[in-house]
Amino acid sequence: QKEVEQDPGPLSVPEGAIVSLNCTYSNSAFQYFMWYRQYSRKGPELLMYTYSSGNKEDGRFTAQVDKSSKYISLFIRDSQPSDSATYLCAMNSDTGFQKLVFGTGTRLLVSP
Amino acid sequence: DAGVTQSPTHLIKTRGQQVTLRCSPKSGHDTVSWYQQALGQGPQFIFQYYEEEERQRGNFPDRFSGHQFPNYSSELNVNALLLGDSALYLCASSFDRGGETQYFGPGTRLLVL
C-alpha cells in the first residue's frame, strides 16, 4: 500500500465548475500538507501549504485537512481553462528537513 | 528574486553512461532535495543535502550520488545509466530553520537510450 493515495483522473469539468481534489494517507506522523500544481513538462508549483488539521483559503483555492480521517482536499472555485494541469498532494512530518511524500497526481481538464 | 534553477533542461544519454545534473537553490535557502519523477507518477525522493552533507536518502541505489557546494548549489550524479533512469529530475530548495516548505525548479528531463 502506498503512503499517499490519489486518483490519477483525468477529471474533466466545464469552466466555472467547483473542483474537488482529494488524497488519503496512511502515516499518522504527517503534519504538513501541501498542494502543488504541475503543468505539462514543468516543475511543480506550490499552491497551498497547511499545518495540521483545518481549512486554509487563498483566492479561488481552499485546502482542507482532516487528520482524524487521514484525508486532505483541495477545492477550486470558478475553475478556468488555465487551471488545467496535474495537481499533486504532498506531505511530510517536519517542514524543510524531511522528504516530501507525493501522491500520483490528478490530471484536471477544464473545458471552455 | 530568482527561484530554483536547474541545468541542463534536457539531456540524452545511452545506457552505461554517467550524467551530472545541477541545481541552484532559491535565494536564502540552504537545503537542497532531489526527486525523480517518472512519467505519470508523483516525484520520488532521492536525497537531501544540508551543510554540504547528505542528510537523508530515499530508496535509490548507490549509483545515485550528490554533492552540495559552499554556496548551497548542488549536483546529482547518476552512474551506469539504465533505461529506467529516464525521468524528470527535480531539485527543490528549502530553509532549514523551518517555517517554509520546498520550492521546485523546472527540472531536467533525462532520456536514456
Side-chain angles (χ1 to χ4, degrees), chain B residues 34-108:
Chain B
W34 287 92
Y35 293 80
Q36 180 196 66
Q37 186 176 24
L39 201 60
Q41 301 296 316
Q44 298 291 314
F45 176 78
I46 303 174
F47 43 53
Q48 184 179 86
Y49 276 84
Y50 171 69
E51 291 190 340
E52 302 180 49
E53 301 226 344
E54 183 182 294
R55 179 160 67 176
Q56 191 180 22
R57 188 178 184 93
N59 189 24
F60 280 81
D62 292 344
R63 298 188 296 109
F64 289 78
S65 63
H67 188 78
Q68 185 179 35
F69 299 93
N71 67 353
Y72 308 120
S73 67
S74 177
E75 286 182 351
L76 164 65
N77 300 291
V78 187
N79 294 321
L81 284 167
L82 303 174
L83 296 180
D85 294 331
S86 296
L88 180 67
Y89 287 85
L90 295 162
C91 168
S93 74
S94 55
F95 181 51
D96 183 62
R97 293 290 191 269
E100 288 194 39
T101 189
Q102 297 177 24
Y103 293 85
F104 284 81
T108 293

Side-chain angles (χ1 to χ4, degrees), chain A residues 13-50:
Chain A
V13 301
E15 183 176 355
I18 296 174
V19 174
S20 172
L21 304 166
N22 311 293
C23 288
T24 59
Y25 63 95
S26 57
N27 189 344
S28 58
F30 288 145
Q31 297 280 348
Y32 298 86
F33 304 91
M34 288 132 268
W35 286 95
Y36 287 86
R37 177 175 63 195
Q38 186 174 29
Y39 292 110
S40 181
R41 298 184 175 272
K42 302 291 184 184
E45 170 195 8
L46 180 65
L47 277 179
M48 300 289 284
Y49 165 61
T50 309

Side-chain angles (χ1 to χ4, degrees), chain A residues 33-104:
Chain A
F33 304 91
M34 288 132 268
W35 286 95
Y36 287 86
R37 177 175 63 195
Q38 186 174 29
Y39 292 110
S40 181
R41 298 184 175 272
K42 302 291 184 184
E45 170 195 8
L46 180 65
L47 277 179
M48 300 289 284
Y49 165 61
T50 309
Y51 170 70
S52 195
S53 286
N55 294 356
K56 185 173 183 179
E57 187 173 324
D58 184 1
R60 297 185 294 112
F61 299 91
T62 299
Q64 288 186 351
V65 175
D66 181 350
K67 290 188 66 181
S68 63
S69 301
K70 297 189 178 69
Y71 186 88
I72 69 171
S73 301
L74 177 70
F75 298 95
I76 306 174
R77 292 182 296 280
D78 187 24
S79 57
Q80 303 295 310
S82 59
D83 294 327
S84 298
T86 296
Y87 289 80
L88 295 154
C89 64
M91 47 200 79
N92 67 2
S93 58
D94 187 14
T95 185
F97 177 76
Q98 295 291 335
K99 66 177 184 181
L100 291 179
V101 181
F102 282 86
T104 305

Side-chain angles (χ1 to χ4, degrees), chain B residues 5-9 20-23 107-108:
Chain B
T5 60
Q6 292 186 244
S7 63
T9 55
T20 298
L21 310 181
R22 295 177 176 82
C23 170
T108 293

